[in-house]
Amino acid sequence: MKELTLLREAGPQAPALTPAACSAARAALLEEIDSARTVRGRLRCRLPGRRTTLRLGTALVAVAAAWTTAVLVTPDSAVPDRPAAPTAAPVTPGGIALVAAEEVTFPLSLDPAPEGLTPFLSRRGGIAAYGNTPPFYVADYSSTGGDRVLVHLFPEDPRSSPDYGWSVQGDPAGTATVDGVEAEVWRGDSSVDLLWERPDGRWVQVLGEGAYGGTAAAVAVAETLVDRPQPVGLQFGLAPAGWSVGGYEESRSLDLVSDTDPDQLLRLGLVGREYPGTLDELLEGMSLTAPPEPVTVQGQPARLALAGGDGGSPYRYLVGQLPGGPFFILLAPETLTREQVLQIAEQVTSTA
């Protein structure tokens, strides 16, 4: 859990790491990589505070630690999103074709969006790194002042499986009506939870805190939910043909998984802007099979290496930086060529 917790707690306003915190974070990263623990997501996808001293671990742990453990669920338990448009692209002999990636989107929007609240979007479930449930979605609209609206979209009643990690803050408080549908209500000291089934059979949970912590306020914002996709903040411009979205974490981490070989995983993650280290420090402690190769990605210095060993499958590890933006890490299976990894990295974008 702590890998994704570190990823979720980090935000643009988080303070810079001290040298001691850097060392502690790097040690935690190496511990997680060595143990190769399976990361399992939980419903309460983000703690209220986004400030943390473990800035180094934000993307590094979440991106690297679960590399060898992520597994795609069986096709009958999920219908994955497909990011790649079926357009022709050059194919390296014996390799995988790259195609133009379709925009990865979150299926719901609040219209109007709550004023002063910033959304962080996640797709959970589907593969082991995001929890062994069918895919479900989380939109966390929050502010530094404590106002918050947390929206979950489930494929079924979340109480049907403990793997959803379903929970509420408070005690049962009767029912309310959302767009003509009866919703169950739970009231906490300064929060309210609503849960109801949509006409299409999916379930929605809305948590309100702060200014949205009353039943009337939560119902009002729940009635602004519309089936209008909104783009997530992290995107691939190119993707392997026949690969689908495995999951994403608050626009900070994005996975693509091969439809035909669930062991093939392409993982993209961001390092927080306040990370005080260097590009080369992001490679420290990695099990590289050769010295990293200096390359240029999006006009910025980058490093590309082959990592793995110690019984694990080798994979390509690229560390780069977006122009005017944060560092990013791209992990790709060795079945993607060096040139393809560089081509994919060239078209990574982020609004973070």
Side-chain angles (χ1 to χ4, degrees):
M1 269 295 289
K2 65 182 177 181
E3 303 96 323
L4 293 180
T5 299
L6 288 172
L7 176 66
R8 292 189 293 269
E9 288 184 348
Q13 296 85 15
L17 276 176
T18 64
C22 285
S23 298
R26 185 175 291 110
L29 166 64
L30 296 179
E31 176 189 351
E32 296 298 340
I33 292 174
D34 290 340
S35 60
R37 296 190 182 95
T38 298
V39 182
R40 294 179 54 85
R42 290 301 177 193
L43 176 62
R44 289 297 177 196
C45 70
R46 193 170 69 81
L47 300 178
R50 294 183 60 82
R51 293 178 172 83
T52 176
T53 58
L54 295 179
R55 289 292 296 175
L56 180 60
T58 57
L60 293 178
V61 175
V63 171
W67 175 257
T68 60
T69 60
V71 179
L72 185 66
V73 296
T74 55
D76 61 350
S77 64
V79 180
D81 298 323
R82 182 172 300 284
T87 55
V91 183
T92 301
I96 300 173
L98 298 183
V99 296
E102 294 180 357
E103 187 175 55
V104 180
T105 59
F106 187 88
L108 298 177
S109 298
L110 295 179
D111 187 14
E115 186 175 355
L117 303 188
T118 302
F120 295 89
L121 309 174
S122 303
R123 181 183 189 267
R124 312 296 298 280
I127 62 174
Y130 292 91
N132 291 325
T133 64
F136 62 98
Y137 297 86
V138 184
D140 193 341
Y141 292 79
S142 59
S143 72
T144 56
D147 297 333
R148 185 188 192 195
V149 174
L150 189 62
V151 180
H152 302 81
L153 177 65
F154 298 100
E156 59 187 345
D157 188 333
R159 295 167 292 190
S160 64
S161 170
D163 289 337
Y164 283 116
W166 182 81
S167 65
V168 293
Q169 298 181 8
D171 300 315
T175 62
T177 301
V178 178
D179 285 332
V181 177
E182 186 176 271
E184 298 178 64
V185 180
W186 290 262
R187 290 280 305 158
D189 292 338
S190 58
S191 67
V192 62
D193 272 281
L194 309 175
L195 177 69
W196 71 96
E197 184 179 6
R198 290 165 47 113
D200 61 9
R202 292 182 294 177
W203 287 68
V204 176
Q205 181 184 16
V206 171
L207 163 71
E209 294 179 343
Y212 302 93
T215 301
V219 168
V221 75
E223 290 184 335
T224 68
L225 276 173
V226 293
D227 290 307
R228 187 177 66 226
Q230 57 179 310
V232 303
L234 193 57
Q235 298 283 341
F236 285 102
L238 282 177
W243 290 44
S244 302
V245 175
Y248 47 85
E249 274 290 329
E250 299 184 353
S251 304
R252 299 296 188 266
S253 176
L254 176 60
D255 286 354
L256 302 181
V257 182
S258 169
D259 294 345
T260 58
D261 184 357
D263 289 333
Q264 301 295 303
L265 175 67
L266 180 67
R267 178 164 289 182
L268 172 65
L270 294 184
V271 180
R273 285 179 178 270
E274 299 302 322
Y275 164 64
T278 66
L279 191 71
D280 289 316
E281 285 177 330
L282 293 175
L283 291 165
E284 290 183 4
M286 299 300 299
S287 298
L288 304 181
T289 61
E293 174 190 0
V295 293
T296 300
V297 173
Q298 300 197 26
Q300 309 291 317
R303 302 289 184 270
L304 178 62
L306 191 63
D310 299 328
S313 300
Y315 58 91
R316 302 188 190 280
Y317 188 97
L318 184 143
V319 180
Q321 186 172 17
L322 296 173
F327 290 114
F328 70 91
I329 298 173
L330 183 64
L331 285 81
E334 196 179 15
T335 50
L336 290 175
T337 68
R338 169 191 178 277
E339 290 72 21
Q340 287 177 320
V341 171
L342 290 173
Q343 289 172 354
I344 291 171
E346 282 287 348
Q347 296 199 30
V348 167
T349 60
S350 171
T351 59

